[in-house]
Amino acid sequence: MEFRILGTVAVATETGELPLGPAKRSGLLAMLLLRPNSVVRVEQLIAALWEDEPPLHAKAVLQSHVSRLRALLTAHDAEMYGVRLTTQGSAYALQLPETLLDAHRFEELVALARLQHRPADTVQMLREALTLWQGPALTGTVRSAPLEAAALALEELRIASVEGLSEAYGQLGEHTRAAAVLRPESVAHPLRESLAAALVLALGRSGRQSDALDHYHRTRRLLADELGVDPGPVLVAAYRTILGTPSVQAPPQAAFAAQPQTPARPRPSAGPAGTVPPPRPVSDDPADGTGPAPSPSLPLSPPPGAASPPAGAGTPSAPDSASGQKPRTDAASGHPADPHPEHPTAPTPVHTPVEPPTPTPNLLPRLPRGFSGREAELGALDQALAGDDAPVCLLTGPAGVGKTALAVHWAHRRHARAGRFPDGVLFADLRGFSDTPAPETPTVLREFLLALGVPARRIPETTAAMGALYRSLAAHRRLLVVLDNARTSAQVRPLLPGGDHCATLITSRDRLGGLIASDAAAPVPLNPLPPGDAAGLLAAVLGEERVAAEPEAVERLAGLCDGLPLALRVTAARLAERPDGTLAAMAGELADEQRRLSLLDIEDTGVSAALRLTVRHLPAPAAELFTLVGLHTGSDLDRFTAAALAGTTPDEADAALGRLAAAHLVAESAGGRRTPHDLVRLYARTLAPEPAAEPLGRLLDHYLRTALDAAAAAHPESRPCCALPADVRPPAAVREFPDRAAALDWFEAERSGLEGAVAAAAGAGLHDRAWRIALLLWPVILLRVGDGWVPLLEQCLASAEHEEDPDAQSRARALLGWVLHEEGRDDEALVHLEQAPGLAARAGDVTSEAIACVNLAVALNGTGEHDRAGLLLSRAVTLAVQAQHPPTEALALHHLARHCLDAGAHEAALSHAVRALDMTSSDEAARRVLLQTACGEALAALGRPADAADLLGQALRTAESTGFEDGAAAARKMLDGLPADR
């Protein structure tokens, strides 16, 4: 058995890799393997398994994954290898010999390599270590900060080992091999200067000096373009070393003579010939003269005061192929000027007066204050807008998420000052979602043409002619065009520049799919800020000390603001007005849903204003559905629920939901469900129609009908626990459930909506709906009995008593008592269970009375009243036979068999269990497992171990194949207790 994290997380055995299941289970295993033989707290695991805020029941989900992983390891004889997954309080630990872990063996080989005295031995050790890598570390796990940080740390170790291997090859004189192992890593990590330096040395020492110098200059240009910095001392030293070899020693100008396009650079005032000046410090301010030096292998871009001549000023010269600038000419002769005026043979150029140049356009707004984080998104913009193929990038996200701030920040910091767009930056606010009308296309084009130096009198009159001139002027320039707040693709297309060297960045609250289809726009979605970035934003306004003093309050504020920078800025503004106020106090105020939106509005700025502008531009069906979203009782909804709210068909509702998703008012999740953020939901509530009885009634009836069908699909052998009210509304369409799994999946997905529907129905006085919806949750309640159902069932009982329905009261008390018993609260359980059989008898429901007797008997057994429990179970069997309902009879017989086993009446127990097993269908896998286990236990006690082993083996196989972990554990325990010589 081998555990792997250096690549896809896996457990390899002689028969192949184990089926780990979903990414969260792989992530759980990865977290445990990162700290083998050490405890890992539940909080750490939950933080690693959810990229965003974990759900309320994250601990239960984690426990389920732990149980399944433990079962998987046990089923494949992990203990034989010394592997055990243990629980230690509120933590888990994976005990294993560390030699079974590929990361441990890798680190061991690397450590041994460092101790070797012979380079050949070092090479052998490191090559073996690197063969353990099968791809990026921790592949196949969820994307979360803890796992990504661990993967990055492992990757750093791998790259360091590659560098060590190349060094060892160099010590052996095998520089070609050193270059071969370094080349792919340098390509994958082009900004890692240590890799670049090692490759430059390896190439130079293997006789490939030109390739070495080429790689150095390409790396230097990349550092200047991407980071705005010069090479560091390690890379510069490598370059100097290569220049110092006999085959490449030459005066500095000779080294550059092979590059005829290179403009002159001033020679440093001191330093020996054949050396390069040390790197200069870099500043963000282009005016201080310390910015990155122009690349010696690329043409110099024009200085900030230079620009192309205005249109109509004469026929332009052919542009330089790399920069779009005209080649320099000698003012006296008209011939191209020597690009190296310091060269001994170069004539001194003659300068003649020229007209002052038109300033390079820069229409960007001021740099946004307090910008924080967004490193991943900035990197995505770098990638999307890279290259010389006229890239178009579409930055999208909900209102208030900071699209404009990010676009302007990127344009200022990442590229405008790094010289990538030497011909200027154009910016236009298209006001697609604004109170003021959007500017007409001719207005924007005119502003762009004026900025590009076209005199007003030469601007054409028609829109088409203006667009043609704009595209022709942009064709040979390196421009960045930022189109902010676009509403439609048609609004954007006339403003896209021509030529291959321009880049366009568009921001919008809409997805603008048409622009993606027609112009290959690269979408970059902008999500809410994570807590760390939110803290940085608050600190920019309130100061580091004030924010650092209340980390928990900062995290809570980020959640209450949905991570929206707009909401966080308003919050920061309010806190700035209260220098003595605490962040925790503000979080307490925002926690009040009735006040939250008003607190997040200040003067003419705020969340409500931003959302209002988004909703105003929605088509009518989507806008109407949005006003009803606030009435929804759950956290997310599907097309059937949306159709019930809106009174439309599911297809019409789905189209409206798609439009809301495109406008970033709801987020899309798995299974076609849509989720509005809390602030969006609160805003939608302010728009909900009055009165809201009609849409709420449609929603409740939808849940009632669908839950009834889902319960029937989950347990087709059971009778419905209630009938529909006489006045229930007919649905436009009914969801179908092909099997039990689909029904249970629906219950899980709609749990919050169903629980909210019970509360909403009771609050509206619709108690006949409230108790029915609550009771119809019984399939998932029995499946997850420990998930905190008591408040829901207490509301169910209150509504049943309000309706004075004895059958509803009986069922509610029986189910509530069962849940309380399972929670270990037997005294409270018996209060309800003692009343349930009498209420059922009063209602004349024999099946309900039988179930109530079973539940009461189970609780009495737990309190030691075994004799009374036995009598109740016998009565339950009699009642079930009278009702002619085999599933209830099997239920009563099963519990009676367990009662007999506890009492030592093994013959009677076997008889009851066999009888129940005969009337239990193969579809009821869990019940069959429990009955087979009871039969096996009775047979073992009666001295028939072989027969017991046969039945217990069947139970174990069925439990494992269906994922019934508790049943598998019980059957396995009984099997282990049988005599070995059976």
Side-chain angles (χ1 to χ4, degrees):
M1 180 171 281
E2 179 186 18
F3 293 83
R4 298 173 181 166
I5 60 175
L6 303 181
T8 300
V9 174
V11 182
T13 66
E14 293 179 355
T15 58
E17 292 185 358
L18 302 188
L20 291 179
K24 280 188 171 54
R25 202 166 304 147
S26 295
L28 164 66
L29 177 59
M31 286 294 292
L32 295 172
L33 289 172
L34 287 167
R35 297 183 60 189
N37 303 310
S38 302
V39 294
V40 185
R41 298 194 314 276
V42 166
E43 295 80 9
Q44 294 173 295
L45 293 171
I46 289 175
L49 297 193
W50 277 271
E51 181 181 3
D52 299 312
E53 185 72 19
L56 292 176
H57 307 293
K59 189 173 182 180
V61 175
L62 173 63
Q63 290 170 342
S64 173
H65 284 301
V66 170
S67 297
R68 290 179 182 273
L69 181 57
R70 183 183 286 127
L72 182 67
L73 294 172
T74 302
H76 290 82
D77 300 320
E79 287 197 1
M80 186 173 70
Y81 298 91
V83 178
R84 289 189 308 120
L85 176 51
T86 62
T87 303
Q88 301 185 22
S90 61
Y92 298 98
L94 187 59
Q95 309 289 340
L96 78 161
E98 292 191 356
T99 54
L100 299 183
L101 179 60
D102 60 355
H104 173 78
R105 296 204 306 279
F106 169 77
E107 292 178 1
E108 223 174 23
L109 286 166
V110 171
L112 285 172
R114 294 194 189 102
L115 300 177
Q116 303 306 309
H117 298 292
R118 298 173 60 243
D121 295 335
T122 302
V123 166
Q124 184 178 353
M125 295 285 185
L126 290 177
R127 287 184 61 178
E128 183 179 349
L130 289 167
T131 59
L132 294 171
W133 283 77
Q134 305 296 316
L138 307 183
T139 299
T141 62
V142 294
R143 290 177 58 87
S144 68
L147 286 169
E148 288 182 349
L152 182 60
L154 290 168
E155 177 67 4
E156 287 289 331
L157 290 175
R158 187 189 69 82
I159 295 174
S161 301
V162 171
E163 293 174 336
L165 177 59
S166 72
E167 182 179 352
Y169 272 134
Q171 291 172 359
L172 291 172
E174 297 180 4
H175 302 297
T176 300
R177 286 193 173 185
V181 299
L182 288 167
R183 174 79 73 177
E185 300 301 331
S186 187
V187 170
H189 305 277
L191 297 177
R192 190 179 178 102
E193 293 189 49
S194 59
L195 276 173
L199 181 56
V200 165
L201 290 172
L203 289 170
R205 289 166 177 167
S206 61
R208 298 164 61 186
Q209 286 88 348
S210 61
D211 290 342
L213 293 172
D214 177 68
H215 188 72
Y216 168 80
H217 287 302
R218 280 192 285 112
T219 304
R220 180 181 51 72
R221 290 194 296 270
L222 190 63
L223 289 169
D225 290 344
E226 297 295 328
L227 303 179
V229 299
D230 285 335
V234 173
L235 185 52
V236 169
Y239 175 61
R240 288 173 173 169
T241 299
I242 298 305
L243 284 179
T245 57
S247 59
V248 296
Q249 274 186 329
Q253 62 266 31
F256 294 106
Q259 304 173 37
Q261 294 293 328
T262 306
R265 288 184 67 179
R267 195 178 293 173
S269 58
T275 63
V276 295
R280 298 180 301 161
V282 179
S283 166
D284 280 335
D285 188 352
D288 69 1
T290 63
S295 167
S297 57
L298 287 177
L300 282 172
S301 57
S308 301
T315 305
S317 302
D320 178 274
S321 61
S323 69
Q325 303 300 309
K326 295 192 298 181
R328 296 182 300 145
T329 58
D330 185 280
S333 66
H335 296 297
D338 189 330
H340 309 288
E342 83 267 32
H343 195 281
T345 61
T348 304
V350 179
H351 298 283
T352 57
V354 295
E355 294 182 7
T358 305
T360 301
N362 186 348
L363 303 184
L364 281 175
R366 65 178 176 83
L367 195 66
R369 301 283 184 180
F371 187 87
S372 175
R374 297 295 195 195
E375 291 303 320
E377 291 86 352
L378 288 167
L381 290 180
D382 289 340
Q383 185 174 0
L385 290 167
D388 282 341
D389 54 349
V392 178
C393 179
L394 183 57
L395 185 63
T396 64
V401 79
K403 299 178 292 297
T404 300
L406 177 62
V408 173
H409 178 88
W410 181 87
H412 271 290
R413 295 293 193 198
R414 290 295 177 100
H415 290 281
R417 293 190 177 185
R420 183 176 166 199
F421 302 108
D423 296 317
V425 183
L426 303 178
F427 178 92
D429 181 0
L430 301 183
R431 299 198 291 273
F433 301 88
S434 174
D435 280 324
T436 57
E440 299 289 339
T441 299
T443 303
V444 180
L445 285 172
R446 180 180 177 83
E447 184 178 355
F448 283 0
L449 290 172
L450 289 170
L452 290 171
V454 180
R457 66 182 182 279
R458 295 185 181 274
I459 295 178
E461 293 184 1
T462 66
T463 302
M466 279 193 282
L469 178 58
Y470 163 61
R471 288 187 293 275
S472 67
L473 289 174
H476 301 300
R477 286 174 165 84
R478 290 182 178 270
L479 289 169
L480 172 63
V481 179
V482 182
L483 304 174
D484 186 39
N485 202 11
R487 187 157 66 91
T488 66
S489 299
Q491 188 184 23
V492 168
R493 288 193 186 99
L495 304 175
L496 297 177
D500 293 335
H501 305 303
C502 297
T504 307
L505 175 57
I506 302 154
T507 75
S508 180
R509 298 183 191 181
D510 200 286
R511 290 178 180 168
L512 301 188
L515 202 64
I516 298 173
S518 65
D519 293 272
V524 175
L526 191 58
N527 298 313
L529 285 173
D533 290 351
L537 189 153
L538 292 173
V541 179
L542 304 175
E544 295 283 353
E545 291 184 6
R546 189 174 178 188
V547 171
E550 298 184 74
E552 292 182 3
V554 169
E555 188 169 349
R556 192 177 178 207
L557 283 173
L560 290 168
C561 292
D562 281 344
L564 292 178
L566 173 61
L568 287 163
R569 288 182 185 281
V570 172
T571 301
R574 291 197 178 277
L575 284 165
E577 296 171 354
R578 311 175 188 177
D580 297 328
T582 66
L583 276 65
M586 175 58 74
E589 292 183 47
L590 287 175
D592 182 355
E593 291 189 350
Q594 304 300 320
R595 299 184 58 208
R596 191 180 308 169
L597 280 178
S598 62
L599 287 170
L600 294 178
D601 289 332
I602 189 166
E603 294 185 0
D604 59 346
T605 300
V607 174
S608 296
L611 289 173
R612 175 178 55 80
L613 294 172
T614 303
V615 174
R616 192 176 72 182
H617 291 95
L618 290 172
E624 290 170 8
L625 177 59
F626 181 78
T627 62
L628 300 169
V629 166
L631 297 176
H632 180 43
T633 56
S635 58
D636 58 2
L637 71 167
D638 62 9
R639 63 194 190 104
F640 290 93
T641 305
L645 277 169
T648 61
T649 67
D651 287 343
E652 292 171 329
D654 195 48
L657 282 173
R659 194 65 195 81
L660 294 180
H664 293 92
L665 289 169
V666 296
E668 293 178 287
S669 53
R673 305 186 68 81
R674 270 77 169 204
T675 306
H677 287 295
D678 287 344
L679 294 178
V680 172
R681 184 183 292 106
L682 291 176
Y683 179 70
R685 286 181 190 171
T686 68
L687 307 178
E690 287 290 345
E694 185 66 24
L696 178 61
R698 290 195 300 263
L699 176 67
L700 296 176
D701 288 352
H702 156 72
Y703 273 140
L704 194 53
R705 283 180 170 276
T706 312
L708 193 63
D709 290 347
H715 292 274
E717 75 284 354
S718 297
R719 293 175 181 173
C721 68
C722 63
L724 292 173
D727 60 344
V728 71
R729 297 164 180 78
V734 178
R735 174 187 283 276
E736 296 181 357
F737 299 102
D739 51 32
R740 167 183 167 84
L744 291 176
D745 285 346
W746 181 83
F747 274 122
E748 291 281 3
E750 290 286 359
R751 174 174 172 175
S752 67
L754 290 164
E755 292 187 77
V758 173
L766 301 172
H767 294 284
D768 58 338
R769 266 69 171 175
W771 73 259
R772 284 178 168 87
I773 295 173
L775 277 186
L776 284 168
L777 277 158
W778 70 268
V780 72
I781 292 176
L782 294 184
L783 189 66
R784 304 193 181 283
V785 70
D787 271 11
W789 300 100
V790 170
L792 174 77
L793 293 174
E794 287 176 340
Q795 178 59 66
C796 172
L797 177 59
S799 291
E801 290 177 332
H802 187 279
E803 291 292 295
E804 299 181 350
D805 187 323
D807 185 50
Q809 293 176 49
S810 169
R811 292 177 183 275
R813 288 187 182 276
L815 188 54
L816 174 57
W818 175 267
V819 170
L820 288 167
H821 164 70
E822 288 293 315
E823 290 185 358
R825 299 157 64 179
D826 283 336
D827 290 343
E828 297 173 71
L830 288 171
V831 171
H832 299 288
L833 293 172
E834 291 282 9
Q835 300 179 57
L839 287 165
R842 192 173 123 203
D845 191 327
V846 180
T847 302
S848 181
E849 185 180 357
I851 294 172
C853 287
V854 169
N855 290 1
L856 175 57
V858 171
L860 289 171
N861 257 331
T863 60
E865 296 187 52
H866 304 298
D867 293 340
R868 188 180 170 207
L871 293 173
L872 281 166
L873 289 169
S874 297
R875 174 163 174 73
V877 173
T878 302
L879 289 168
V881 172
Q882 179 184 337
Q884 297 182 351
H885 193 235
T888 302
E889 184 180 351
L891 172 70
L893 285 167
H894 173 213
H895 285 284
L896 184 56
R898 293 301 322 169
H899 176 79
C900 292
L901 284 172
D902 293 340
H906 300 113
E907 289 283 2
L910 180 62
S911 173
H912 297 320
V914 169
R915 182 177 159 194
L917 194 57
D918 288 342
M919 62 180 66
T920 302
S921 70
S922 58
D923 294 335
E924 300 176 79
R927 175 62 53 77
R928 290 190 66 82
V929 167
L930 295 174
L931 288 169
Q932 287 170 334
T933 304
C935 288
E937 185 176 346
L939 288 166
L942 292 169
R944 297 165 59 185
D947 294 336
D950 181 49
L951 273 172
L952 290 169
Q954 293 180 42
L956 180 58
R957 288 189 293 274
T958 302
E960 289 179 338
S961 65
T962 57
F964 183 21
E965 296 178 8
D966 291 341
R972 191 180 298 110
K973 181 178 180 181
M974 285 300 306
L975 273 170
D976 292 343
L978 293 177
D981 58 350
R982 60 179 181 272

